Amino acid sequence: SSSGSKEFLLPFDATTFAATGQPFYTGVAIANLDETTSNVVCTARDSGGSIINGAIAVPPLAPQGHWASYQFPNLTGSRGTIDCVSNTNIAATALRFIGTDAFSSLPVIPNPANFSSGPNPVLPHFASGGIWTTGFFVLNKGSSAAHFSIAFHDDNGNPIALPFSTGTANTLSGTVPAQGLAYYEASNPQTSSVIGGSGQITADPSIVVQALFRENSSGSTYYEAAVPSSSGSKEFLLPFDATTFAATGQPFYTGFAIANLDATMSNVVCTARDSGGSIIPSAIAVPPLAPQGHWANYLFPNLTGSRGTIDCVSNTN
């Protein structure tokens, strides 16, 4: 849900997925929150920051009106950014498709000129190796070139090297052109060894970093999840679903990852409640997290059969 803004920014990918030969599509949905007609102008730019002419045409949106599309032929073959400006408050969501077989969400950046991911932002999760690939979108919302660096840490907070096409590295860094985008992937399908952790971002103020991690569990089917960057907090809340999917008889699982942003040990206490608000005892146990440490899990047997909320409180960010 969103209270809207008069401008939003998001990354797009309209290249071809080498593993299957299928195209990537980026879809956008926009809702007009105001009582007057909305005129939305969207500008697409390639990775170098150059405008792609005639890429996206949004029709006028009636009060409380809505529009969505993913077919933008002029974007084909490019990666970059989409910047949409409106005379009314609009809310947006973005989707990323791998052909017609899989889709995931993309983070939308509201009010990009004023947006800040906060001090010392972190990507709270990555996974690479075996069936896992993590892609990193680095957006520059500014009018001049900007620098970024992402330092990767394992579960114990130690530096860990990720496998990029240019070689393994425990730090990813570079310069992004004005209003441009850079994209990097960490993947090594030749090994069964999987590495995971978090990424500490150091960057100029105009840089925003987002990630996607992708699973290939069957050889031909792919799944993705978006990972927005965050400056952290001492508490977070999320819904969970551990019921059974009636259409297939398979269980739903809710997984989550936590990164400790501070230089002291993190003690995290998570409380699960069912849909009526009653506590589910001993549902989730998070081990102490070392400075820059990381933890992730999706196996919580005491949640089975329930829907509800998970509320986690920590002594560190």
Side-chain angles (χ1 to χ4, degrees):
S1 59
S2 170
S3 57
S5 62
K6 288 187 167 66
E7 183 178 6
F8 66 84
L9 178 71
L10 66 133
F12 79 82
D13 191 341
T15 62
T16 299
F17 185 36
T20 65
Q22 294 178 303
F24 286 113
Y25 296 102
T26 298
V28 183
I30 303 174
N32 179 10
L33 279 61
D34 290 352
E35 298 299 329
T36 58
T37 297
S38 177
N39 297 300
V40 182
V41 177
C42 292
T43 302
R45 293 181 171 87
D46 63 20
S47 58
S50 297
I51 291 175
I52 302 172
N53 293 317
I56 300 172
V58 181
L61 302 182
Q64 310 299 323
H66 170 271
W67 170 87
S69 188
Y70 68 97
Q71 295 181 327
F72 310 119
N74 287 14
L75 299 184
T76 301
S78 298
R79 289 190 185 101
T81 62
I82 298 170
D83 187 354
C84 296
V85 178
S86 172
N87 61 306
T88 68
N89 286 290
I90 52 176
T93 190
L95 295 175
R96 166 181 159 98
F97 299 83
I98 305 175
T100 59
D101 295 333
F103 74 94
S104 60
S105 61
L106 283 170
V108 173
I109 303 162
N111 292 315
N114 300 317
F115 178 84
S116 172
S117 54
N120 305 314
V122 164
L123 290 167
H125 187 66
F126 66 79
S128 180
I131 64 174
W132 296 102
T133 297
T134 296
F136 301 91
F137 289 93
V138 185
L139 293 80
N140 180 6
K141 57 190 178 67
S143 57
S144 59
H147 182 77
F148 76 95
S149 177
I150 308 171
F152 301 108
H153 300 276
D154 65 13
D155 287 352
N156 296 316
N158 299 315
I160 187 170
L162 270 62
F164 295 98
S165 59
T166 54
T168 58
N170 56 30
T171 300
L172 176 66
S173 60
T175 300
V176 183
Q179 298 180 323
L181 175 137
Y183 179 76
Y184 307 86
E185 275 193 357
S187 176
N188 188 0
Q190 282 73 46
T191 177
S192 60
S193 177
V194 178
I195 57 175
S198 62
Q200 178 74 56
I201 301 165
T202 303
D204 293 332
S206 63
I207 290 289
V208 180
V209 181
Q210 313 285 10
L212 289 165
F213 68 105
R214 180 170 64 244
E215 178 196 25
N216 175 17
S217 57
S218 67
S220 60
T221 304
Y222 294 83
Y223 305 91
E224 288 188 334
V227 185
S229 56
S230 169
S231 58
S233 65
K234 288 186 168 65
E235 184 177 8
F236 64 85
L237 178 73
L238 65 137
F240 78 84
D241 191 341
T243 62
T244 299
F245 185 38
T248 65
Q250 294 177 304
F252 285 114
Y253 295 99
T254 298
F256 63 101
I258 303 175
N260 180 10
L261 279 62
D262 290 352
T264 57
M265 189 71 70
S266 178
N267 297 300
V268 183
V269 177
C270 292
T271 303
R273 292 180 171 87
D274 63 22
S275 56
S278 297
I279 291 176
I280 302 172
S282 305
I284 300 169
V286 181
L289 301 182
Q292 311 298 325
H294 169 270
W295 171 88
N297 204 351
Y298 68 97
L299 296 172
F300 308 117
N302 286 12
L303 300 184
T304 301
S306 298
R307 291 189 183 100
T309 63
I310 297 171
D311 186 356
C312 296
V313 178
S314 173
N315 61 304
T316 69
N317 287 289

